[in-house]
Amino acid sequence: MAVVGGGGTFIALRAIDNANKPVTPAFTIEDMGKLASGELSAPDPETDALKAAAERAYRAAQLKKNRDGAGDHEDELSWVVPKKAPGGDGFPARNFPPGSDPSPGSNKATAKALLASFGFGADQWGCLEALWQKESGWNERAMNRYSGAYGIPQSLPGSKMASAGADWQTNAATQIKWGLGYIKGRYGTPCGAWGHSQSTGWY
């Protein structure tokens, strides 16, 4: 992570690398081991450190912008909508296909319908809605400019979602399924994930 002068712009040097990481097989040997031991969503210290660093950089940028008295504030969410899918090694750079325009309302409906299949009650919906609103605005093409995290659940790197489907770059349902699995495996419930996000700025 480096700080570049001029406008208080913070650039995460690893963000591009993370966005461009090659798509990994649906399940690697390492993943099989984690799955066998029930640790598929276990904490990843390196990824967690990058998430925390990205959150600090974003907050610092917001403080700098406020201190400088900038009149026109950018969107407070720390993501952007790329015109193309991230490119690079095995992560094909291509235009998003027609019909893939983000639809937050439709994406929320999909997630709400999938809650029960992951063992979550209706009481968890408010937490999930707030969590992914903060993370991505429920936009399947959202990309964090500080870390390179991608999609509705802000997977880091985005290619982790390939375990839920090959169409993870553009399919909201695939991203939601992966995100719900990640939340269940690591935090137990959406409210558990939301609580962590509220205390640390990431999940």
Side-chain angles (χ1 to χ4, degrees), residues 119-191:
F120 302 137
D123 61 315
Q124 295 296 311
W125 170 245
C127 293
L128 183 67
E129 184 178 29
L131 177 67
W132 285 350
Q133 180 63 39
K134 172 184 177 287
E135 291 290 323
S136 65
W138 288 87
N139 183 339
E140 69 268 22
R141 296 188 290 175
M143 185 169 66
N144 186 301
R145 65 178 64 118
Y146 297 99
S147 69
Y150 187 79
I152 292 170
Q154 289 290 277
S155 170
L156 182 62
S159 58
K160 282 184 178 179
M161 295 186 287
S163 62
D167 56 356
W168 62 269
Q169 293 179 39
T170 56
N171 190 322
T174 297
Q175 294 181 5
I176 289 166
K177 287 174 186 173
W178 180 88
L180 289 173
Y182 169 76
I183 286 171
K184 183 171 185 175
R186 181 152 185 192
Y187 298 103
T189 64
C191 286

